[in-house]
Amino acid sequence: VSDASGCSMVALLHTGAAKFPRNLLPRVRQAVCSLLPAGVLKGYDSIVSRKLASHGFGASMAAMSSFPPQRYHYFLVLDFEATCDKPQIHPQEIIEFPILKLNGRTMEIESTFHMYVQPVVHPQLTPFCTELTGIIQGMVDGQPSLQQVLERVDEWMAKEGLLDPSVKSIFVTCGDWDLKVMLPGQCQYLGLPVADYFKQWINLKKAYSFAMGSWPKNGLLDMNKGLNLQHIGRPHSGIGE
């Protein structure tokens, strides 16, 4: 994806304190806590930070003093893209694997992991998939397999200190599909283990609906509208959304 300005999921987290009415802040905190389960692009960070600032998101930092304290040190924003068609193909395979490491205290992006993944069951992308995601065949041809990408994710997590037991981090997704359906389903198909850190996450839709009183049927678009945020980046593009 050529447009590295897309960061609407991060913008929602970054500006939420400024947009939520003060009387709703305790509910937001409770919403996030209630979701807890029982149990590399160099230079990209600064680009995203500048883009956020250019859209006026930096002003929300003044509201951080009223934002409820976070129990996590880092939020790992994740959004897969996968092979697809109409009617849907089976099995679907992850073709883009992006993660943004967001500091839970400053709400600043500290690091980015991003790789494209070569599909093996349906190696040829459909025209529908390319039109939806913006991912062309040349972006996935010759790229690492999912197993190799997962190994590099683990290396990145270790390098970023996210595997340290004293560091609390959690994935944030727009819906449950990424980590409840897509990743475990493909890993099961390929006979791959799923790392424990992928087994808990915050569904941003649930937190939003609890705080705002309505379910965002259209995902990010509805949440942006509800919070008066401008959507930037390309919809249905992992790193761009």
Side-chain angles (χ1 to χ4, degrees), residues 37-68:
V40 207
L41 295 179
K42 292 185 179 179
Y44 181 78
D45 302 343
S46 59
I47 293 174
V48 173
S49 296
R50 290 198 302 272
K51 289 292 184 177
L52 283 169
S54 70
H55 284 78
F57 296 146
S60 68
M61 295 307 293
M64 289 303 292
S65 60
S66 64
F67 195 73

Side-chain angles (χ1 to χ4, degrees), residues 25-92:
L25 287 175
R27 295 185 64 190
V28 175
R29 183 180 185 184
Q30 182 182 353
V32 173
C33 292
S34 68
L35 294 173
L36 304 181
V40 207
L41 295 179
K42 292 185 179 179
Y44 181 78
D45 302 343
S46 59
I47 293 174
V48 173
S49 296
R50 290 198 302 272
K51 289 292 184 177
L52 283 169
S54 70
H55 284 78
F57 296 146
S60 68
M61 295 307 293
M64 289 303 292
S65 60
S66 64
F67 195 73
Q70 302 300 300
R71 64 171 57 189
Y72 288 102
H73 298 115
Y74 297 101
F75 296 106
L76 306 177
V77 183
L78 177 148
D79 182 29
F80 293 140
E81 298 305 330
T83 53
C84 55
D85 201 3
K86 283 191 174 181
Q88 189 59 271
I89 57 177
H90 297 283
Q92 284 188 274

Side-chain angles (χ1 to χ4, degrees), residues 27-208:
R27 295 185 64 190
V28 175
R29 183 180 185 184
Q30 182 182 353
V32 173
C33 292
S34 68
L35 294 173
L36 304 181
V40 207
L41 295 179
K42 292 185 179 179
Y44 181 78
D45 302 343
S46 59
I47 293 174
V48 173
S49 296
R50 290 198 302 272
K51 289 292 184 177
L52 283 169
S54 70
H55 284 78
F57 296 146
S60 68
M61 295 307 293
M64 289 303 292
S65 60
S66 64
F67 195 73
Q70 302 300 300
R71 64 171 57 189
Y72 288 102
H73 298 115
Y74 297 101
F75 296 106
L76 306 177
V77 183
L78 177 148
D79 182 29
F80 293 140
E81 298 305 330
T83 53
C84 55
D85 201 3
K86 283 191 174 181
Q88 189 59 271
I89 57 177
H90 297 283
Q92 284 188 274
E93 299 171 87
I94 295 169
I95 54 176
E96 185 177 8
F97 206 123
I99 307 172
L100 298 184
K101 178 189 175 187
L102 197 69
N103 188 299
R105 181 180 60 84
T106 66
M107 292 298 165
E108 294 293 332
I109 298 170
E110 291 192 355
S111 181
T112 304
F113 177 91
H114 181 266
M115 292 189 71
Y116 290 106
V117 190
Q118 181 167 323
V120 294
V121 180
H122 301 286
Q124 192 70 30
L125 301 183
T126 65
F128 174 83
C129 182
T130 294
E131 181 179 356
L132 181 70
T133 66
I135 299 174
I136 63 174
Q137 192 66 41
M139 292 179 177
V140 297
D141 283 346
Q143 295 302 309
S145 66
L146 180 63
Q147 180 177 359
Q148 293 170 319
V149 171
L150 289 174
E151 291 171 353
R152 296 189 188 181
V153 169
D154 201 67
E155 293 170 357
W156 177 79
M157 295 278 287
K159 179 176 69 72
E160 295 295 325
L162 298 169
L163 301 185
D164 185 332
S166 66
V167 175
K168 297 180 180 179
S169 64
I170 192 166
F171 282 92
V172 177
T173 60
C174 185
D176 289 327
W177 176 83
D178 300 84
L179 294 178
K180 186 176 182 178
V181 177
M182 188 62 236
L183 182 63
Q186 188 175 0
C187 284
Q188 181 179 26
Y189 181 86
L190 296 174
L192 301 175
V194 178
D196 287 342
Y197 47 71
F198 285 128
K199 295 179 181 179
Q200 61 176 10
W201 63 91
I202 292 174
N203 180 344
L204 204 56
K205 291 181 181 179
K206 290 181 179 179
Y208 175 92

